[in-house]
Amino acid sequence: MALSARRKLILAKIEAVYGTAIAAAAADAVLVSNASLTPITGGTADRALERDYYGASDQIPVNTHQQVSFGVEIAGPGAFKAANKPIGQPGWGKLLRACGFSETLREVRGAGNNDQVEYKPITGGEPSLTVRSFWAGQQHVLAGCRGNVSLSVPAADIPRFTFTLTGLWADPASVAPLSPDYSAYETPRPGSTRDTPKASLFGQDLRMRSFELDMGIEVAHREVIGADNEVVVVDRDPSGTIVIDMQPLSVWNPFTEAEEGAVGALSIVHGGPDTAASAGKLVEISCPRVQLGETTYNEDSGILQASIPFRALPDAGNDEIVITAR
């Protein structure tokens, strides 16, 4: 019988032991868009045999692993829980952790609630995920997943994380998927003046068309003799682009800032008006030190814009970006 390509399900859970696939439940479902699976990749070793006749030599698969990528909407965790109970971590939190972020619950308002969840980069000791990908009931289990994340906040569209995760090889199989529970995922808000109340760069409030940041996390699948296969995080190099309506250079001059190699802060708040009524719905993206690149002009609907590339730099270390669900 034919299998429907529209039936896709992603489950993800933090592993207790690296590379040991952990069982998943309905609440481990990830609400995704634009999912893509590379079921087998790695390479081959060619036997390169020499014989007394023409013909190809067989090849032996080596370094075999898998990859999965998907988008996840950027939205806060929702309403706060009862006193002395943590707020529900956003569904995308576990995915950030597998991309080399720490997760810290904070009490800020002083009412006995953990009312913020903060994510910051770490160096070493990155958690790993077991990702179970179902394509029309065909289960591909990716244990030991670590990977990269990028994020975008566009005007008049839905902000999203995009995750690309690399995991260990396991034989796929036909398995009946469970019914997913997506309650950890709130309905997102599009980028707009109302729902993105703050977009600033170098202390300047922006009329922003789009913001994109790629964490540039480099991962490698390693297969060496005498050790278990592992997906390791090797480095990160965050960079991005912000597109804004151009203001007079007498107000702010991004070209001069770029030529001087100046460093300044970037901050975006999204999810609704930045008031107490939006508590639990907001996501703040802060980069304390960004350095601008070669800014160029472009236009949108006849309006002059500036496309500003940037790099996010660490300050004290492991702090080049802070993502706060609040």
Side-chain angles (χ1 to χ4, degrees), residues 54 189 202:
Y54 298 135
R189 300 298 305 165
F202 279 56

Side-chain angles (χ1 to χ4, degrees), residues 42-236:
T44 56
D46 195 320
R47 295 185 67 191
L49 300 174
E50 296 182 351
R51 298 168 294 203
D52 190 30
Y53 48 85
Y54 298 135
S57 297
D58 56 312
Q59 297 176 326
I60 300 172
V62 296
N63 200 32
T64 305
H65 57 281
Q66 308 176 73
Q67 266 192 346
V68 64
S69 65
F70 46 80
V72 177
E73 296 163 335
I74 297 178
F80 297 138
K81 309 302 181 183
N84 300 316
K85 300 291 184 181
I87 65 172
Q89 287 96 322
W92 39 264
K94 58 190 175 185
L95 304 170
L96 282 183
R97 294 181 63 197
C99 294
F101 282 77
S102 63
E103 181 180 66
T104 305
L105 294 169
R106 297 191 183 283
E107 180 184 324
V108 176
R109 294 180 177 84
N113 292 315
N114 287 320
D115 48 25
Q116 291 189 5
V117 189
E118 181 183 87
Y119 297 90
K120 294 177 67 175
I122 58 176
T123 298
E126 298 85 0
S128 60
L129 290 168
T130 294
V131 176
R132 296 177 184 271
S133 301
F134 292 86
W135 256 241
Q138 315 316 302
Q139 179 182 236
H140 298 259
V141 180
L142 294 77
C145 277
R146 295 182 174 122
N148 184 42
V149 60
S150 61
L151 53 151
S152 64
V153 181
D157 205 346
I158 297 171
R160 285 184 171 87
F161 295 106
T162 298
F163 295 94
T164 301
L165 302 171
T166 300
L168 305 177
W169 166 256
D171 288 328
S174 297
V175 176
L178 47 76
S179 291
D181 175 3
Y182 295 123
S183 59
Y185 297 86
E186 297 293 313
T187 301
R189 300 298 305 165
S192 67
T193 300
R194 176 185 183 276
D195 293 307
T196 315
K198 183 176 183 181
S200 69
L201 180 63
F202 279 56
Q204 302 294 320
D205 291 334
L206 306 175
R207 300 176 62 174
M208 187 179 76
R209 183 67 182 87
S210 64
F211 165 82
E212 296 180 350
L213 172 65
D214 188 328
M215 285 300 298
I217 299 165
E218 182 183 351
V219 300
H221 176 267
R222 300 194 72 243
E223 183 172 337
V224 297
I225 295 170
D228 293 333
N229 293 355
E230 186 179 8
V231 177
V232 295
V233 175
V234 178
D235 199 2
R236 66 172 177 267

